């Protein structure tokens, strides 16, 4: 805060006395390297500035990556922006475009669980206007920032050691008015909060006199009356007087913001009250039509739980279910706020295309294009990590939809963007990326992607088949293929897998069961004693269960000649009464050489302690449960290696 305080002292001697108490702290601070600074030192609104953070004498001195949460006081509203810092020599830097009307900014630096708030001095900065005065709201924001315990709604972002008293808050209110007397009503809530917090006869009398004086101003504006209303309602909690002011606002401003806010709340509540899908969709579209999203209304929306995110996801889901592309496009092409996109992408694209498979690639493409265009608009026109984060996290889905439509060049843009952050650590993305490169005919890049994916143990079945085919074409046979694969494996990844599996080793009892397989043969678990038994609990409706089958097939094939290792795939938690025909046909159609046990009433799985599926268990030769793991992370090769490692540990007698 040193730069801000120096500027205040230079600007006016009126403030000098108030800052004398800080002189000792400032002198001590000046002896140390300046931790936070802004270049240029006196920027103007909408300038691009360099934010400099010298972490060498902070808790983040050894951090490998640093980000910051920038809290701004912009046009008398609190805003938040996430920034990523880059290390340059011994300091960390980030570029930031100062928004219009930004009066104050405060930074909190982070790395993992470590946080640096700047202690008593804080990392805050008051901005100057073009006329060299402090920006409107800057000094008020600085006063409130250190009094979140006094003024409701102020974010708790500075260290508690920097908190100030109600007298100090009133002092900064006074400074704000000395620079900007036009802000008399805008400082009212903070001043009233401080006076009420003092709670002396003198402070309360002063507040009462000020409110009466302000209320009598001729031609008072609606926003000014609203500030008086807020004080009576939220600070003084005088309901009778607050209601009197409210009625005055409604009578004098029938088309004003207060009436609009109340109508917006009533229209949003109609969505909540809707009883059918059609009623809900109509209420949501009516709400958006009547009340387009406005940043200026965010505070009221949040206070009254008005959620544009909910309205948009309702519209996106119901219009896509109805195959109503026209209305989907009408609303999703202008979706706001930005945060609503995440829900819409998941509900209207990911679920129907990936999870439910209720929409095919051709059918989903036009819906995806609407969202891609809107997402790109935000990414290209707004700064901050949150805009880029959703783009990169959604890019794999867009790439898959595009590649499934054979639009390889378009898909490459998204697949490459996603891969730049994933670094071949995601098997599903790797599969999409490989298909893109294959479609583009980029043989060299394709081979490299296949090998990098395999080295990270994140390969799909398709990729493994493609690798073998490519190897055979290059070498005119598959001789030496296993050695080739072994040479690609990342030693560190292999070590990680072994350590992970070793930690999963247990030694527990497991309930015995007797079930029929798909051929009508009885299988009893206790009869397998002396063998290593791999159990895979799955259901026909469980996409991750079936997604794991290619990896399980690799493991089954690996031990196919070992009579002391057996695999049973236990079909459980089914919604159909007779699964025998389904199971037989599904295994045949997909060429899975699996023995499936039919747990129709789910008794065996419940007795074994199975809840969520997929759930894989490995029983040792002693009949004890040695491994138990839930879920599937998506890598065929990693799953196979994990099961193989589990079996090998037990074969070694551990």
């Amino acid at each position: 805060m040193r730069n801000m305080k120096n500027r205040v002292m230079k600007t006016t001697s009126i403030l000098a006395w108030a800052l004398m108490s800080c002189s000792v702290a400032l002198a001590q601070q000046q002896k140390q390297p300046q931790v936070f600074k802004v270049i240029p030192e006196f920027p103007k609104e909408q300038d691009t500035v360099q934010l400099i953070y010298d972490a060498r004498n902070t808790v983040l001195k050894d951090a490998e990556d640093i980000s910051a949460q920038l809290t701004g006081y912009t046009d008398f509203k609190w805003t938040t922006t996430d920034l990523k810092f880059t290390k340059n020599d011994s300091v960390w830097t980030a570029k930031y475009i100062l928004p219009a009307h930004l009066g104050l900014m405060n930074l909190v630096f982070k790395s993992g669980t470590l946080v640096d708030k700047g202690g008593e001095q804080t990392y805050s900065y008051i901005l100057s206007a073009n006329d060299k005065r402090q920006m409107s709201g800057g000094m008020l924001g600085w006063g409130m920032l250190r009094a979140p315990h006094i003024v409701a709604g102020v974010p708790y972002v500075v260290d508690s050691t920097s908190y100030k008293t109600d007298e100090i808050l009133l002092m900064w209110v006074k400074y704000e008015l000395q620079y900007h007397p036009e802000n008399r009503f805008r400082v009212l809530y903070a001043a009233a909060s401080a006076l009420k917090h003092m709670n002396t006869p003198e402070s309360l009398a002063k507040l009462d006199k000020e409110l009466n004086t302000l209320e009598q101003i001729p031609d008072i504006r609606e926003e000014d009356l609203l500030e008086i209303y807020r004080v009576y309602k939220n600070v003084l909690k005088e309901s009778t007087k607050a209601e009197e002011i409210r009625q005055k606002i409604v009578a004098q401003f029938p088309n004003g913001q207060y009436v609009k806010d109340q109508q917006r709340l009533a229209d949003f509540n109609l969505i909540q009250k809707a009883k059918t899908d059609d009623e809900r969709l109509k209420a949501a579209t009516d709400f958006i039509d009547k009340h387009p999203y406005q940043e200026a209304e965010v505070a009221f929306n949040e206070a009254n739980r008005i959620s544009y995110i909910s309205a948009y996801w309702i519209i996106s889901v119901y219009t896509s279910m109805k195959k109503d592309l026209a209305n989907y496009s009408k609303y999703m092409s202008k979706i706001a706020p930005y945060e609503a996109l995440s829900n819409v992408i998941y509900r209207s694209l990911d679920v129907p295309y990936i999870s439910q498979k209720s929409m095919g690639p051709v059918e989903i493409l036009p819906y995806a294009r609407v969202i891609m265009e809107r997402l790109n608009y935000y990414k290209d026109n707004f700064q901050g990590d949150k805009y880029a984060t959703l783009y990169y996290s959604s890019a794999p889905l867009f790439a898959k939809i595009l590649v499934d439509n054979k639009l390889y060049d378009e898909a490459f843009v998204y697949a490459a963007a996603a891969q730049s952050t994933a670094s071949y650590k995601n098997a599903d993305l790797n599969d999409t990326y490989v298909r893109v490169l294959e479609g583009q005919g980029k043989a060299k890049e394709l081979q490299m992607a296949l090998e990098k994916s395999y080295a990270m143990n994140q390969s799909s079945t398709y990729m493994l088949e493609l690798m073998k085919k490519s190897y055979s074409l290059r070498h005119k046979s598959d001789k030496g293929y296993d050695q080739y694969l072994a040479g690609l494996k990342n030693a560190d990844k292999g070590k990680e897998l072994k350590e992970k599996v070793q930690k999963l080793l247990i030694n527990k009892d497991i309930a015995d069961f007797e079930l029929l397989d798909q051929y009508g043969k009885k299988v009893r678990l206790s009869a397998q004693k002396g063998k290593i038994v791999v159990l895979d609990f799955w259901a026909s409706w469980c996409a991750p269960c079936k997604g794991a089958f290619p990896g399980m097939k690799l493991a089954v094939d690996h031990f196919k000649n070992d009579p002391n290792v057996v695999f049973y795939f236990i079909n459980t938690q089914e919604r159909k009464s007779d699964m025998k025909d389904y199971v037989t046909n599904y295994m045949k159609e997909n060429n899975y050489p699996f023995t499936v046990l039919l747990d129709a009433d789910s008794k065996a799985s419940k007795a074994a302690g199975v809840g969520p599926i997929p759930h894989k268990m490995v029983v040792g030769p002693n009949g004890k449960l040695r491994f138990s793991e839930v879920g599937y992370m998506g890598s065929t090769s990693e799953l196979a290696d994990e099961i193989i490692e589990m079996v090998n540990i037990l074969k070694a007698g551990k």
Side-chain angles (χ1 to χ4, degrees):
M1 201 56 207
R2 188 188 69 180
N3 286 335
M4 187 210 74
K5 290 179 179 176
N6 286 345
R7 282 185 284 156
V8 172
M9 287 191 285
K10 291 176 183 176
T11 305
T12 171
S13 60
I14 297 174
L15 309 186
W17 67 271
L19 296 169
M20 287 177 64
S21 61
C22 300
S23 60
V24 176
L26 281 171
Q28 292 174 346
Q29 186 185 25
Q30 288 167 354
K31 293 177 183 178
Q32 301 296 328
Q34 191 172 348
V35 177
F36 171 63
K37 60 183 177 180
V38 179
I39 299 176
E41 187 177 3
F42 304 111
K44 305 296 185 295
E45 58 181 340
Q46 297 187 306
D47 280 354
T48 298
V49 298
Q50 282 268 10
L51 304 177
I52 312 295
Y53 176 60
D54 187 343
R56 286 176 292 180
N57 293 307
T58 75
V59 294
L60 304 186
K61 60 184 178 181
D62 299 320
E64 295 183 1
D65 58 84
I66 290 178
S67 61
Q69 182 188 72
L70 188 153
T71 300
Y73 195 53
T74 307
D75 200 20
F76 295 86
K77 296 179 182 66
W78 296 105
T79 61
T80 301
T81 302
D82 294 323
L83 297 174
K84 184 73 176 175
F85 276 67
T86 303
K87 193 168 188 180
N88 292 316
D89 297 325
S90 59
V91 299
W92 295 80
T93 67
K95 286 185 177 181
Y96 181 61
I97 302 173
L98 300 177
H101 310 301
L102 177 67
L104 169 82
M105 60 180 171
N106 177 82
L107 277 78
V108 173
F109 296 95
K110 303 176 182 180
S111 181
T113 58
L114 294 177
V115 177
D116 179 14
K117 294 183 177 182
E120 184 180 359
Q121 299 301 320
T122 79
Y123 298 129
S124 300
Y125 212 92
I126 288 182
L127 282 298
S128 297
N130 292 331
D131 60 5
K132 296 186 179 180
R133 291 189 302 166
Q134 308 300 312
M135 279 291 295
S136 178
M139 284 185 284
L140 174 65
W142 171 235
M144 291 194 298
L145 193 70
R146 297 172 303 157
H149 56 301
I150 297 174
V151 187
V154 176
Y156 283 79
V157 292
V158 297
D159 195 281
S160 59
T161 58
S162 71
Y163 287 2
K164 301 300 178 186
T165 62
D166 34 36
E167 289 92 347
I168 297 298
L169 173 56
L170 284 174
M171 180 185 79
W172 285 99
V173 167
K174 175 183 175 183
Y175 297 160
E176 177 70 36
L177 291 177
Q178 287 175 342
Y179 278 96
H180 296 281
E182 72 277 10
N183 289 339
R184 187 174 183 181
F185 281 95
R186 288 185 141 179
V187 305
L188 178 60
Y189 195 86
S193 297
L195 291 168
K196 179 68 170 73
H197 190 263
M198 290 178 176
N199 203 30
T200 65
E202 293 79 12
S203 68
L204 295 177
K206 184 175 181 179
L207 175 55
D208 184 61
K209 181 180 178 181
E210 179 70 2
L211 290 170
N212 287 331
T213 301
L214 293 176
E215 191 181 344
Q216 302 308 315
I217 291 177
D219 301 321
I220 191 169
R221 300 177 303 171
E222 181 197 15
E223 56 263 41
D224 297 336
L225 268 178
L226 279 168
E227 288 301 318
I228 296 174
Y229 170 67
R230 287 178 64 218
V231 169
Y232 277 119
K233 182 182 179 182
N234 300 327
V235 178
L236 296 175
K237 302 189 185 303
E238 294 183 11
S239 57
T240 302
K241 184 63 178 179
E243 178 59 20
E244 177 189 320
I245 301 295
R246 190 193 72 80
Q247 291 181 11
K248 186 175 180 179
I249 293 169
V250 173
Q252 289 187 211
F253 305 98
N255 298 313
Q257 188 61 48
Y258 178 80
V259 173
K260 288 180 180 177
D261 285 344
Q262 297 306 310
Q263 186 61 55
R264 189 168 69 258
L265 176 58
D267 288 340
F268 180 76
N269 286 337
L270 291 177
I271 302 174
Q272 316 295 94
K273 294 174 183 177
K275 292 183 170 57
T276 68
D277 290 350
D278 287 342
E279 288 177 357
R280 197 168 292 111
L281 175 58
K282 185 178 186 308
T285 54
D286 285 349
F287 172 76
I288 297 297
D289 288 341
K290 292 179 184 177
H291 312 286
Y293 179 79
Q294 303 287 335
E295 284 286 345
E297 297 169 345
V298 167
F300 181 86
N301 293 342
E302 290 181 349
N304 292 276
R305 299 184 179 180
I306 297 175
S307 172
Y308 279 77
I309 293 174
S310 296
Y312 273 112
W313 85 251
I314 286 170
I315 296 171
S316 73
V317 169
Y318 292 143
T319 53
S320 61
M321 285 173 59
K322 290 171 176 287
K323 307 297 188 284
D324 184 358
L325 179 60
N327 272 314
Y328 185 93
S329 301
K330 174 184 175 181
Y331 292 98
M332 297 307 112
S333 63
K334 295 182 179 179
I335 187 172
Y338 172 80
E339 288 76 12
L341 272 168
S342 179
N343 249 347
V344 166
I345 290 169
Y346 176 71
R347 299 278 186 168
S348 68
L349 299 179
D350 193 283
V351 169
Y353 192 63
I354 303 298
S355 303
Q356 296 178 346
K357 302 189 185 303
S358 57
M359 294 178 78
V362 174
E363 192 175 21
I364 199 105
L365 180 61
Y367 295 89
R369 285 200 183 284
V370 174
I371 301 303
M372 286 188 281
E373 185 175 339
R374 190 61 173 166
L375 189 59
N376 278 297
Y377 163 77
Y378 278 111
K379 180 181 73 71
D380 296 340
N381 290 280
F382 295 87
Q383 59 179 333
D385 284 352
K386 68 177 183 178
Y387 298 106
T389 298
L390 183 58
Y391 173 85
Y392 286 108
S393 64
S394 303
L397 174 62
F398 297 141
K400 179 170 176 54
I401 291 171
L402 290 165
V403 80
D404 289 348
N405 280 279
K406 303 190 186 316
L407 299 170
Y408 300 114
D409 291 342
E410 249 188 295
F412 178 78
V413 174
Y414 291 99
Q419 199 63 277
S420 70
T421 60
S423 301
Y424 297 93
K425 295 176 183 176
N426 184 295
D428 289 336
L429 173 59
N430 293 343
D431 182 272
T432 298
Y433 189 52
V434 160
R435 291 173 192 265
V436 171
L437 296 173
E438 184 184 23
Q440 289 182 309
K442 296 179 178 178
K444 183 178 179 181
E445 292 87 346
L446 172 61
Q447 187 64 32
M448 183 175 68
L450 287 168
E451 292 180 348
K452 282 188 175 181
S453 300
Y454 190 79
M456 297 300 293
N457 215 356
Q458 294 294 313
S459 299
S460 67
T461 304
Y462 180 80
M463 294 168 67
L464 294 173
E465 292 171 351
L466 196 58
M467 283 185 76
K468 190 165 188 177
K469 179 181 175 182
S470 174
Y471 180 90
S472 297
L473 285 173
R474 293 198 313 272
H475 297 85
K476 311 303 180 187
S477 78
D478 60 4
K479 186 178 180 181
Y481 180 66
D482 290 341
Q483 290 85 344
Y484 161 70
L485 289 183
L488 292 176
K489 289 236 172 170
N490 183 307
D492 289 338
K493 295 297 291 184
K495 183 180 178 182
E496 285 177 15
L497 180 65
K498 287 180 181 294
E499 290 175 351
K500 173 192 172 184
V501 172
Q502 195 68 46
K503 290 177 182 177
L504 294 173
L505 194 59
I506 57 177
N507 191 33
K508 296 182 177 180
D509 291 333
I510 181 171
D512 193 17
F513 61 77
E514 183 176 89
L515 297 170
L516 294 176
D517 67 18
Q518 71 262 49
Y519 308 111
K521 181 181 176 182
K522 286 184 180 180
V523 174
R524 190 174 187 85
L525 179 61
S526 57
Q528 312 302 317
K529 200 163 184 181
K531 298 179 181 179
I532 296 169
V533 183
V534 181
L535 306 174
D536 187 347
F537 295 86
W538 69 285
S540 63
W541 49 264
C542 173
C545 296
K546 294 192 286 188
F549 281 174
M552 293 302 293
K553 182 177 184 295
L554 289 178
V556 170
D557 288 344
H558 184 86
F559 293 108
K560 65 182 178 182
N561 295 319
D562 189 334
N564 293 315
V565 180
V566 294
F567 288 76
Y568 294 116
F569 294 77
I570 302 179
N571 180 249
T572 186
Q573 301 180 18
E574 281 297 350
R575 298 161 184 171
K576 301 174 184 178
S577 57
D578 184 9
M579 287 298 296
K580 184 177 178 180
D581 290 341
Y582 171 85
V583 164
T584 303
N585 292 332
Y586 184 80
M587 296 302 155
K588 184 177 180 181
E589 289 168 3
N590 290 279
N591 194 30
Y592 292 141
F594 299 164
T595 298
V596 179
L597 306 184
L598 303 173
D599 186 22
D601 53 12
S602 301
K603 284 185 179 179
S605 62
K606 288 177 182 176
V610 173
I613 52 176
H615 191 148
K616 294 166 181 58
M617 296 181 175
V618 183
V619 180
N622 62 354
K624 296 282 189 177
L625 179 62
R626 306 306 312 276
F627 294 101
S628 178
E629 194 167 21
V630 179
Y632 172 57
M633 299 307 293
S635 172
T636 297
S637 57
E638 184 176 37
L639 174 59
D641 283 356
E642 186 172 300
I643 296 297
I644 291 168
E645 180 64 22
M646 288 177 176
V647 172
N648 285 339
I649 284 177
L650 299 184
K651 289 181 74 173
K654 295 185 179 179

